[in-house]
Short mmCIF file of all heavy atoms in Angstrom, two decimals:
data_model
loop_
_atom_site.label_atom_id
_atom_site.label_comp_id
_atom_site.label_asym_id
_atom_site.label_seq_id
_atom_site.Cartn_x
_atom_site.Cartn_y
_atom_site.Cartn_z
N LEU A 49 -13.83 -24.22 -3.17
CA LEU A 49 -14.16 -22.75 -3.11
C LEU A 49 -15.01 -22.42 -4.32
O LEU A 49 -16.02 -21.72 -4.24
CB LEU A 49 -12.91 -21.89 -3.05
CG LEU A 49 -12.33 -21.68 -1.68
CD1 LEU A 49 -10.98 -20.98 -1.84
CD2 LEU A 49 -13.26 -20.83 -0.81
N SER A 50 -14.58 -22.91 -5.52
CA SER A 50 -15.28 -22.55 -6.74
C SER A 50 -16.70 -23.11 -6.69
O SER A 50 -17.64 -22.46 -7.15
CB SER A 50 -14.53 -23.17 -7.96
OG SER A 50 -13.23 -22.62 -8.05
N LYS A 51 -16.88 -24.38 -6.18
CA LYS A 51 -18.22 -24.99 -6.16
C LYS A 51 -19.08 -24.26 -5.12
O LYS A 51 -20.24 -23.92 -5.39
CB LYS A 51 -18.08 -26.43 -5.72
CG LYS A 51 -17.65 -27.31 -6.86
CD LYS A 51 -17.59 -28.75 -6.35
CE LYS A 51 -17.23 -29.73 -7.49
NZ LYS A 51 -17.19 -31.16 -7.00
N ASP A 52 -18.47 -23.94 -3.95
CA ASP A 52 -19.27 -23.33 -2.85
C ASP A 52 -19.81 -21.95 -3.22
O ASP A 52 -20.94 -21.58 -2.74
CB ASP A 52 -18.41 -23.23 -1.57
CG ASP A 52 -18.19 -24.56 -0.93
OD1 ASP A 52 -18.80 -25.55 -1.35
OD2 ASP A 52 -17.26 -24.65 -0.09
N TYR A 53 -19.03 -21.21 -4.01
CA TYR A 53 -19.41 -19.81 -4.33
C TYR A 53 -19.81 -19.66 -5.78
O TYR A 53 -19.97 -18.53 -6.28
CB TYR A 53 -18.30 -18.90 -3.98
CG TYR A 53 -18.08 -18.72 -2.54
CD1 TYR A 53 -17.16 -19.47 -1.87
CD2 TYR A 53 -18.86 -17.81 -1.80
CE1 TYR A 53 -16.97 -19.27 -0.45
CE2 TYR A 53 -18.67 -17.61 -0.41
CZ TYR A 53 -17.70 -18.37 0.21
OH TYR A 53 -17.57 -18.23 1.57
N ALA A 54 -20.00 -20.73 -6.53
CA ALA A 54 -20.39 -20.66 -7.97
C ALA A 54 -21.74 -19.87 -8.10
O ALA A 54 -21.83 -18.97 -8.97
CB ALA A 54 -20.53 -22.03 -8.55
N PHE A 55 -22.73 -20.21 -7.32
CA PHE A 55 -24.02 -19.51 -7.43
C PHE A 55 -23.86 -18.08 -7.02
O PHE A 55 -24.45 -17.15 -7.67
CB PHE A 55 -25.09 -20.21 -6.59
CG PHE A 55 -26.39 -19.53 -6.57
CD1 PHE A 55 -27.31 -19.64 -7.65
CD2 PHE A 55 -26.75 -18.75 -5.51
CE1 PHE A 55 -28.48 -18.96 -7.69
CE2 PHE A 55 -27.98 -18.02 -5.52
CZ PHE A 55 -28.84 -18.18 -6.60
N THR A 56 -23.11 -17.78 -5.95
CA THR A 56 -22.97 -16.44 -5.46
C THR A 56 -22.32 -15.59 -6.52
O THR A 56 -22.78 -14.45 -6.75
CB THR A 56 -22.11 -16.42 -4.17
OG1 THR A 56 -22.77 -17.23 -3.18
CG2 THR A 56 -21.89 -15.03 -3.67
N VAL A 57 -21.25 -16.08 -7.15
CA VAL A 57 -20.52 -15.35 -8.19
C VAL A 57 -21.42 -15.06 -9.37
O VAL A 57 -21.50 -13.96 -9.91
CB VAL A 57 -19.25 -16.10 -8.61
CG1 VAL A 57 -18.59 -15.39 -9.83
CG2 VAL A 57 -18.20 -16.06 -7.42
N SER A 58 -22.14 -16.11 -9.80
CA SER A 58 -23.05 -15.94 -10.94
C SER A 58 -24.11 -14.98 -10.67
O SER A 58 -24.45 -14.09 -11.53
CB SER A 58 -23.66 -17.34 -11.27
OG SER A 58 -22.69 -18.32 -11.55
N ALA A 59 -24.73 -15.02 -9.46
CA ALA A 59 -25.81 -14.07 -9.13
C ALA A 59 -25.31 -12.64 -9.06
O ALA A 59 -25.93 -11.73 -9.51
CB ALA A 59 -26.43 -14.48 -7.78
N TYR A 60 -24.07 -12.49 -8.53
CA TYR A 60 -23.47 -11.23 -8.46
C TYR A 60 -23.30 -10.58 -9.82
O TYR A 60 -23.63 -9.45 -10.04
CB TYR A 60 -22.09 -11.26 -7.74
CG TYR A 60 -21.27 -10.06 -7.94
CD1 TYR A 60 -21.42 -9.00 -7.09
CD2 TYR A 60 -20.35 -9.98 -8.94
CE1 TYR A 60 -20.71 -7.85 -7.27
CE2 TYR A 60 -19.59 -8.80 -9.19
CZ TYR A 60 -19.78 -7.78 -8.31
OH TYR A 60 -19.06 -6.61 -8.51
N VAL A 61 -22.73 -11.35 -10.80
CA VAL A 61 -22.43 -10.83 -12.09
C VAL A 61 -23.69 -10.45 -12.74
O VAL A 61 -23.78 -9.30 -13.34
CB VAL A 61 -21.68 -11.90 -12.94
CG1 VAL A 61 -21.66 -11.48 -14.38
CG2 VAL A 61 -20.32 -12.17 -12.40
N VAL A 62 -24.74 -11.23 -12.76
CA VAL A 62 -26.01 -10.98 -13.43
C VAL A 62 -26.70 -9.73 -12.81
O VAL A 62 -27.11 -8.83 -13.53
CB VAL A 62 -26.94 -12.18 -13.41
CG1 VAL A 62 -28.33 -11.80 -13.99
CG2 VAL A 62 -26.30 -13.34 -14.14
N ILE A 63 -26.82 -9.71 -11.48
CA ILE A 63 -27.49 -8.65 -10.80
C ILE A 63 -26.76 -7.30 -10.98
O ILE A 63 -27.34 -6.27 -11.26
CB ILE A 63 -27.63 -8.92 -9.28
CG1 ILE A 63 -28.64 -10.11 -9.12
CG2 ILE A 63 -28.18 -7.74 -8.57
CD1 ILE A 63 -28.70 -10.63 -7.66
N THR A 64 -25.40 -7.34 -10.87
CA THR A 64 -24.60 -6.14 -11.03
C THR A 64 -24.75 -5.58 -12.48
O THR A 64 -24.90 -4.37 -12.65
CB THR A 64 -23.12 -6.43 -10.69
OG1 THR A 64 -23.03 -6.87 -9.37
CG2 THR A 64 -22.32 -5.13 -10.85
N LEU A 65 -24.67 -6.46 -13.43
CA LEU A 65 -24.79 -6.02 -14.79
C LEU A 65 -26.15 -5.34 -15.10
O LEU A 65 -26.19 -4.30 -15.72
CB LEU A 65 -24.56 -7.20 -15.75
CG LEU A 65 -24.58 -6.95 -17.27
CD1 LEU A 65 -23.49 -5.91 -17.66
CD2 LEU A 65 -24.42 -8.23 -18.05
N ILE A 66 -27.22 -6.02 -14.65
CA ILE A 66 -28.55 -5.48 -14.87
C ILE A 66 -28.73 -4.11 -14.09
O ILE A 66 -29.28 -3.15 -14.66
CB ILE A 66 -29.62 -6.47 -14.41
CG1 ILE A 66 -29.60 -7.72 -15.35
CG2 ILE A 66 -31.02 -5.84 -14.45
CD1 ILE A 66 -30.52 -8.84 -14.90
N SER A 67 -28.27 -4.10 -12.86
CA SER A 67 -28.39 -2.86 -12.10
C SER A 67 -27.60 -1.72 -12.73
O SER A 67 -28.11 -0.59 -12.74
CB SER A 67 -27.86 -3.12 -10.62
OG SER A 67 -28.60 -4.10 -10.00
N GLY A 68 -26.39 -2.01 -13.19
CA GLY A 68 -25.62 -0.99 -13.85
C GLY A 68 -26.27 -0.39 -15.09
O GLY A 68 -26.34 0.80 -15.29
N LEU A 69 -26.90 -1.28 -15.89
CA LEU A 69 -27.58 -0.84 -17.11
C LEU A 69 -28.83 -0.03 -16.75
O LEU A 69 -29.14 0.95 -17.40
CB LEU A 69 -27.95 -2.02 -17.96
CG LEU A 69 -26.75 -2.74 -18.60
CD1 LEU A 69 -27.24 -4.04 -19.31
CD2 LEU A 69 -26.00 -1.87 -19.58
N LEU A 70 -29.47 -0.44 -15.67
CA LEU A 70 -30.64 0.36 -15.23
C LEU A 70 -30.28 1.75 -14.75
O LEU A 70 -30.93 2.75 -15.07
CB LEU A 70 -31.40 -0.43 -14.16
CG LEU A 70 -32.24 -1.61 -14.54
CD1 LEU A 70 -32.79 -2.32 -13.29
CD2 LEU A 70 -33.40 -1.21 -15.49
N ILE A 71 -29.21 1.80 -14.00
CA ILE A 71 -28.74 3.12 -13.49
C ILE A 71 -28.29 3.99 -14.68
O ILE A 71 -28.64 5.22 -14.74
CB ILE A 71 -27.51 2.99 -12.56
CG1 ILE A 71 -28.01 2.31 -11.24
CG2 ILE A 71 -26.87 4.28 -12.26
CD1 ILE A 71 -26.91 1.92 -10.31
N GLY A 72 -27.65 3.40 -15.67
CA GLY A 72 -27.31 4.11 -16.88
C GLY A 72 -28.45 4.69 -17.60
O GLY A 72 -28.46 5.84 -18.12
N SER A 73 -29.56 3.86 -17.67
CA SER A 73 -30.77 4.27 -18.32
C SER A 73 -31.43 5.38 -17.57
O SER A 73 -31.96 6.37 -18.21
CB SER A 73 -31.73 3.11 -18.43
OG SER A 73 -32.93 3.48 -19.06
N ILE A 74 -31.43 5.34 -16.27
CA ILE A 74 -32.06 6.40 -15.47
C ILE A 74 -31.41 7.77 -15.64
O ILE A 74 -32.07 8.80 -15.75
CB ILE A 74 -32.08 5.98 -13.98
CG1 ILE A 74 -33.02 4.76 -13.76
CG2 ILE A 74 -32.51 7.17 -13.07
CD1 ILE A 74 -32.95 4.14 -12.40
N ILE A 75 -30.05 7.76 -15.67
CA ILE A 75 -29.36 9.03 -15.81
C ILE A 75 -29.11 9.41 -17.27
O ILE A 75 -28.41 10.36 -17.55
CB ILE A 75 -28.00 8.97 -15.04
CG1 ILE A 75 -27.03 7.96 -15.72
CG2 ILE A 75 -28.21 8.68 -13.57
CD1 ILE A 75 -25.63 8.02 -15.08
N ARG A 76 -29.66 8.59 -18.17
CA ARG A 76 -29.52 8.81 -19.64
C ARG A 76 -28.11 8.84 -20.10
O ARG A 76 -27.68 9.70 -20.84
CB ARG A 76 -30.25 10.12 -20.02
CG ARG A 76 -31.76 10.10 -19.75
CD ARG A 76 -32.46 11.34 -20.20
NE ARG A 76 -33.90 11.25 -19.90
CZ ARG A 76 -34.75 12.18 -20.17
NH1 ARG A 76 -34.35 13.33 -20.73
NH2 ARG A 76 -36.05 12.04 -19.91
N GLN A 77 -27.34 7.89 -19.57
CA GLN A 77 -25.91 7.72 -19.99
C GLN A 77 -25.96 7.16 -21.45
O GLN A 77 -26.85 6.44 -21.82
CB GLN A 77 -25.23 6.71 -19.05
CG GLN A 77 -23.88 6.29 -19.47
CD GLN A 77 -22.86 7.37 -19.31
OE1 GLN A 77 -22.72 8.27 -20.18
NE2 GLN A 77 -22.14 7.37 -18.15
N GLN A 78 -24.95 7.49 -22.22
CA GLN A 78 -24.83 6.90 -23.53
C GLN A 78 -24.73 5.38 -23.41
O GLN A 78 -24.03 4.85 -22.51
CB GLN A 78 -23.54 7.37 -24.23
CG GLN A 78 -23.62 8.86 -24.63
CD GLN A 78 -22.44 9.29 -25.46
OE1 GLN A 78 -22.00 8.55 -26.28
NE2 GLN A 78 -22.07 10.57 -25.32
N ILE A 79 -25.42 4.63 -24.31
CA ILE A 79 -25.58 3.23 -24.16
C ILE A 79 -24.22 2.42 -24.15
O ILE A 79 -24.00 1.52 -23.44
CB ILE A 79 -26.54 2.63 -25.22
CG1 ILE A 79 -26.86 1.14 -24.97
CG2 ILE A 79 -25.96 2.85 -26.56
CD1 ILE A 79 -27.50 0.84 -23.63
N ILE A 80 -23.33 2.92 -25.05
CA ILE A 80 -22.04 2.20 -25.10
C ILE A 80 -21.27 2.43 -23.77
O ILE A 80 -20.69 1.47 -23.20
CB ILE A 80 -21.19 2.71 -26.29
CG1 ILE A 80 -21.81 2.25 -27.61
CG2 ILE A 80 -19.77 2.29 -26.23
CD1 ILE A 80 -21.12 2.72 -28.85
N ASP A 81 -21.25 3.67 -23.30
CA ASP A 81 -20.56 3.92 -22.03
C ASP A 81 -21.19 3.16 -20.90
O ASP A 81 -20.52 2.63 -19.99
CB ASP A 81 -20.61 5.42 -21.69
CG ASP A 81 -19.96 6.25 -22.78
OD1 ASP A 81 -20.45 6.37 -23.91
OD2 ASP A 81 -18.87 6.81 -22.50
N SER A 82 -22.52 3.08 -20.91
CA SER A 82 -23.29 2.36 -19.86
C SER A 82 -22.89 0.85 -19.87
O SER A 82 -22.67 0.24 -18.81
CB SER A 82 -24.77 2.48 -20.06
OG SER A 82 -25.46 1.83 -19.01
N LYS A 83 -22.84 0.24 -21.06
CA LYS A 83 -22.46 -1.12 -21.14
C LYS A 83 -21.00 -1.36 -20.67
O LYS A 83 -20.68 -2.31 -20.01
CB LYS A 83 -22.59 -1.63 -22.60
CG LYS A 83 -24.05 -1.78 -23.10
CD LYS A 83 -24.11 -2.22 -24.54
CE LYS A 83 -25.55 -2.38 -24.97
NZ LYS A 83 -25.64 -2.77 -26.40
N LEU A 84 -20.10 -0.44 -21.02
CA LEU A 84 -18.70 -0.61 -20.61
C LEU A 84 -18.53 -0.52 -19.11
O LEU A 84 -17.86 -1.41 -18.47
CB LEU A 84 -17.85 0.50 -21.30
CG LEU A 84 -17.66 0.42 -22.77
CD1 LEU A 84 -16.86 1.61 -23.33
CD2 LEU A 84 -16.96 -0.87 -23.18
N ILE A 85 -19.20 0.47 -18.48
CA ILE A 85 -19.07 0.68 -17.02
C ILE A 85 -19.78 -0.55 -16.33
O ILE A 85 -19.17 -1.09 -15.39
CB ILE A 85 -19.71 1.94 -16.56
CG1 ILE A 85 -18.88 3.12 -17.18
CG2 ILE A 85 -19.77 2.02 -15.09
CD1 ILE A 85 -19.52 4.50 -16.93
N SER A 86 -20.90 -0.94 -16.77
CA SER A 86 -21.65 -2.04 -16.10
C SER A 86 -20.89 -3.37 -16.18
O SER A 86 -20.78 -4.12 -15.19
CB SER A 86 -23.01 -2.16 -16.70
OG SER A 86 -23.76 -0.96 -16.58
#
Side-chain angles (χ1 to χ4, degrees):
L49 275 172
S50 300
K51 284 183 177 178
D52 290 346
Y53 288 96
F55 176 77
T56 300
V57 170
S58 300
Y60 166 85
V61 170
V62 174
I63 293 172
T64 301
L65 183 60
I66 293 173
S67 300
L69 292 173
L70 284 175
I71 292 172
S73 177
I74 291 171
I75 66 173
R76 297 182 180 179
Q77 174 71 278
Q78 291 188 34
I79 186 62
I80 291 179
D81 300 71
S82 182
K83 289 178 179 178
L84 291 175
I85 293 172
S86 301

